[in-house]
Amino acid sequence: MDNNSQERSALFAGEGSSTLALVIYLAVAILVMIADRRGGYLDDVHAFAGRLTGPIYTLAEMPWLVGRSLRESMAARKQLNAENEQMRQARLRSELRIAELERDLLEQQRLNKGVALAAREQLQGLPARVIDVDLDPYSHRVLVDRGRVSGVIEGAALIDGAGVVGQVIEVRPRNSLVMLLSDPGHGLPVVNARSGLRSILNGVGVADRLVISSMPLSADLEVGDVLLSSGVGGRFPAGLPVARVVAVERSPGSAFARASAEPLAGLDRVRELMIVSAPFGEGPWPSVELGSANGDQPVAPTSPQAPPAVDEDWSVVDAESAPMQDQGGE
Amino acid sequence: MSNRGQEWRLFFFALLALSILSLFRLPPMLAPMKPFWVGLLMIYCALEMPRVARLGVAFAVGLMLDVLTGDLLGEHAMRLLILTHVVARFRFRIRFFPVGQQALAVFGLMLNDRILSLWVRLFGGEGWPDLSYWLSPVVAMMLWPWLFLVLDRLRMRGRLRGSSSG
């Protein structure tokens, strides 16, 4: 055993790898983990430390940015033309789709007079891009390139072309950290578009699977149902399409039914996103006037607390038509 | 004294470079193979620069990584603490291993680190990751001799320059 010599060299070098120090540091680390997981006592620490990270992300992303700009400048004109043509067609199709949806919406409003099914609140949308850094291939977090400077608030929803991707959990000056729906710590209040049943959709750590773990056995939920965000609980906007139910288990042995759903958005391959948030910051319920369903103009909510110092153009989108939702289902 | 300053300078430079390297996005095929770069750096420091590789340093670096990757605060800190401590404990043995055996030791350390990380994940309610999760220690083992060479070269050069100027 060279224990002796090790002790001596430790003495000379002044290194502190004694077991006691290790135990103390480990205890601190574990306490920090617990404090961070339960109750988020460390939000201020996150907020402070996050402010310092921006430049590192920029450096880490640099090769990709250079590569992209090179590729873009070298793309042949012909290819651009073809792409342009494709996009024009896609736009036509989506305009058509929007027209259809608007027609459906009007019809629906006529049908349920007085009952504003989805709150007709105006949402604000801000295009964002996922920053090309790899936090951890096994974590359910991504960074997006918009932060406090652009008016992003914590709890804002992120959508891609198909549905909800996740929500902002930490706003930093020029970027924000997004928790994807698939994170086991993520629970989203949803409402079944068909039956109006409310429940909570949880992540399980897999990109293409979400579950509703505790509903009554008699709950009205079927395979193929589309789940929309319900907006219960505050800042997350209501009425955005989230997932489609793929399986419902009602085992006679258990007191609850359990359903699994597939997110409409491709969580593991998101790049271009839209940050959507209801413009009225805090408050348990959006202060939108429900019930004025006859109005063709959506109720423009007066914002007591507009996003501060916005330097980007937030475009106003409708809660219903923001993502191309297809409730029909196959 | 200037020797010590040199060591710290090398440490911070390598830390910055390796943190950036570990944030660098790889094609999805290669992403799971990404080694725990900063862990490898801590192993090197614990072996060759014990004055730098103190537990307090490991803890601080770990917290920084947690903030950088948006992970649970304290996860990297715990992993680096254990890594540093184990290497410091067996420093005199691992240091005089031939390269191949040393790489094997690195593999063991990284495997242990992966298990710790898995343990934290399971506590957080995540499921078992797929098999590719275990690729990273293998890659770390294969990269170890090269990283060791580069860092050693840098350190020697720093030492020479430091002694000639000071």
Side-chain angles (χ1 to χ4, degrees), chain A residues 1-3 5-7 9 13-19 21-23 25-26 28-30 32-34 36-38 42 45-46 49-50 53 56-57 59-61 63-64 68 131-141 143 169-170 172 177 183-185 203-205 271, chain B residues 4 16 19-27 31-32 34 46 50-51 53-57 59 63-64 66-79 81-82 84-85 88-93 114 117 119-121 123-127 129-134:
Chain A
M1 271 312 187
D2 49 8
N3 225 351
S5 69
Q6 192 182 341
E7 295 287 304
S9 97
E15 64 184 310
S17 71
S18 76
T19 317
L22 176 77
V23 169
Y25 272 121
L26 275 184
V28 174
I30 289 171
V32 166
M33 272 193 269
I34 292 170
D36 195 22
R37 163 96 42 203
R38 313 255 162 235
L42 299 174
V45 181
H46 272 293
T53 54
I56 297 191
Y57 294 133
L59 280 175
E61 197 191 17
W64 284 91
R68 180 170 327 128
I131 295 183
D132 275 322
V133 297
D134 186 4
L135 298 180
D136 178 350
Y138 296 94
S139 84
H140 307 275
R141 273 148 220 227
L143 269 180
I169 54 169
E170 198 181 311
R172 297 165 176 180
L177 193 61
D183 191 288
V204 286
R271 283 281 157 252
Chain B
R4 176 176 286 191
L16 183 70
S19 309
I20 289 172
L21 199 56
S22 58
L23 282 174
F24 190 66
R25 191 164 71 82
L26 296 170
K34 195 166 63 178
R51 271 173 302 198
R54 285 195 286 249
L55 288 182
V57 174
F59 186 75
L63 285 187
M64 181 209 81
D66 288 325
V67 171
L68 217 51
T69 57
D71 267 330
L72 193 61
L73 216 54
E75 181 194 329
H76 280 94
M78 184 190 74
R79 287 162 53 187
L81 277 173
I82 292 179
T84 310
H85 180 75
R89 189 119 218 125
F90 297 104
R91 173 159 177 249
F92 292 97
R93 245 161 284 173
R114 219 58 182 154
S117 158
W119 183 66
V120 175
R121 281 172 55 94
F123 259 92
E126 305 222 7
D130 51 13
L131 234 62
S132 66
Y133 189 73
W134 304 101

Side-chain angles (χ1 to χ4, degrees), chain A residues 265-313:
Chain A
L267 297 187
D268 48 355
R269 48 178 187 279
V270 285
R271 283 281 157 252
E272 307 291 332
L273 295 169
M274 181 86 96
I275 303 180
V276 215
S277 63
F280 26 78
E282 325 293 329
W285 284 94
S287 61
V288 77
E289 288 174 43
L290 299 166
S292 60
N294 54 340
D296 275 0
Q297 299 98 324
V299 189
T302 49
S303 54
Q305 203 179 11
V310 177
D311 71 348
E312 313 286 344
D313 47 338

